[in-house]
Amino acid sequence: ILADNGLVCSCVNVNIACRRVYGRGSLGNPDPKIRRRAIDECKRASDYAKELGADVINVWPGQDGFDYALCCDFGKLYADFLEGAVEIADHNPDVKIALEFKPREPRNRSLIENASTALLMCAESGRENLGVCVDVGHVLYANGNMANAVELCGSRGKLFHMHTNDCLGSWEDDMIVGSVHFIEYIELCYVLRKINYQGWCSVDIFPSREDAISAARESVLYMSLFDSLVDKIGMDVLGECIRKGDAAHVSRIIREKVFG
């Protein structure tokens, strides 16, 4: 079907966060049988990705974390999860494993809550094919900066995949790309050029009341627009803005170059 429509599979997502069996965790579940089930499911996804020609699987461990004090052995949770991630990475060394971090939800606090924790786990794994998926909505609702998270991972060769969307900031709203943040998306596209990111940028939105196809189309078109604005403004000009660190200067450049 993909070939007939001139498409390729960019990534295979593993559903280990939204099923009841994994309610207490996936790769870090305290029950060894359920932990094994989650690991094996990720390994099957890796096989599936290889068969489809995709070079990465996306692992979002939304249930791996904690809710209350004195209810979690943090060291064991981390060690169990890392051990499982290494086993998955070793299963197909030519398939990348992208760990998607998120501050919270559905757990009150996630094990892999930010880019730094994800990168620490990647470094301690010693596996080249274990990396990170940056969901910009997860960064924004943690009051973070999209470009910073992307450069942090990309400059270390660990940015394996990206999820693009937008949010109002207090929650992961999964809105149309560019519907809230404008200058920040120009900055993001500048950094993607700077680190020479060659991977995919998936549209990860939940158009609950909008037409899904129209919302997805707008996200793709806006992502292309922001990328084209990097050319219109100029990499050198944007680099000079960063070196100056003058907000008023940045405002003037964006106003003049984008709006005329």
Side-chain angles (χ1 to χ4, degrees):
I1 293 172
L2 289 170
D4 289 346
N5 288 278
L7 301 172
V8 297
C9 178
S10 60
C11 178
V12 173
N13 287 348
V14 191
N15 186 9
I16 54 172
C18 302
R19 292 159 61 190
R20 186 176 296 274
V21 66
Y22 298 125
R24 296 187 64 198
S26 58
L27 306 186
N29 195 295
D31 185 334
K33 291 182 180 178
I34 298 178
R35 190 162 65 247
R36 170 48 52 194
R37 176 172 172 172
I39 292 170
D40 289 344
E41 190 158 346
C42 290
K43 289 163 75 172
R44 285 195 299 273
S46 177
D47 291 338
Y48 190 45
K50 190 172 183 178
E51 184 179 348
L52 283 172
D55 68 344
V56 61
I57 68 170
N58 193 85
V59 177
W60 170 46
Q63 302 289 2
D64 292 279
F66 62 94
D67 301 311
Y68 293 93
L70 297 175
C71 291
C72 176
D73 184 333
F74 304 114
K76 186 176 187 304
L77 171 62
Y78 185 96
D80 284 347
F81 191 98
L82 178 58
E83 182 180 281
V86 166
E87 182 177 337
I88 297 163
D90 287 345
H91 180 64
N92 280 318
D94 53 341
V95 174
K96 298 175 181 177
I97 317 299
L99 301 177
E100 182 179 348
F101 62 87
K102 188 176 183 179
R104 63 185 301 267
E105 194 270 332
R107 279 287 191 169
N108 286 341
R109 183 58 58 184
S110 300
L111 167 65
I112 307 178
E113 60 181 351
N114 53 41
S116 298
T117 304
L119 287 170
L120 175 65
M121 189 168 285
C122 292
E124 291 185 341
S125 75
R127 301 306 189 270
E128 292 295 325
N129 63 325
L130 189 65
V132 185
C133 170
V134 174
D135 184 316
V136 299
H138 297 179
V139 176
L140 290 171
Y141 103 83
N143 296 314
N145 179 279
M146 299 184 291
N148 179 40
V150 162
E151 184 156 7
L152 193 67
C153 298
S155 63
R156 289 159 177 79
K158 290 298 182 180
L159 182 60
F160 287 176
H161 197 63
M162 279 192 61
H163 289 174
T164 58
N165 47 63
D166 217 328
C167 71
L168 297 174
S170 60
W171 194 245
E172 187 202 3
D173 303 302
D174 281 330
M175 298 165 69
I176 295 170
V177 170
S179 56
V180 181
H181 294 83
F182 186 85
I183 295 179
E184 291 92 337
Y185 255 107
I186 296 176
E187 180 184 40
L188 172 64
C189 288
Y190 166 79
V191 167
L192 288 172
R193 294 280 193 94
K194 178 182 174 183
I195 65 173
N196 193 31
Y197 178 63
Q198 299 296 313
W200 291 90
C201 293
S202 295
V203 173
D204 182 3
I205 60 174
F206 277 82
S208 302
R209 282 158 288 278
E210 298 73 34
D211 176 74
I213 293 176
S214 296
R217 179 182 293 115
E218 285 299 310
S219 292
V220 172
L221 291 174
Y222 259 98
M223 197 67 188
S224 297
L225 172 65
F226 288 125
D227 187 56
S228 69
L229 288 177
V230 173
D231 287 323
K232 184 176 182 179
I233 299 168
M235 288 288 288
D236 291 342
V237 173
L238 289 168
E240 182 63 21
C241 284
I242 291 170
R243 284 188 290 275
K244 280 181 176 292
D246 183 335
H249 175 75
V250 171
S251 179
R252 179 178 65 81
I253 291 297
I254 295 298
R255 176 172 50 80
E256 292 179 350
K257 294 287 188 178
V258 175
F259 299 105

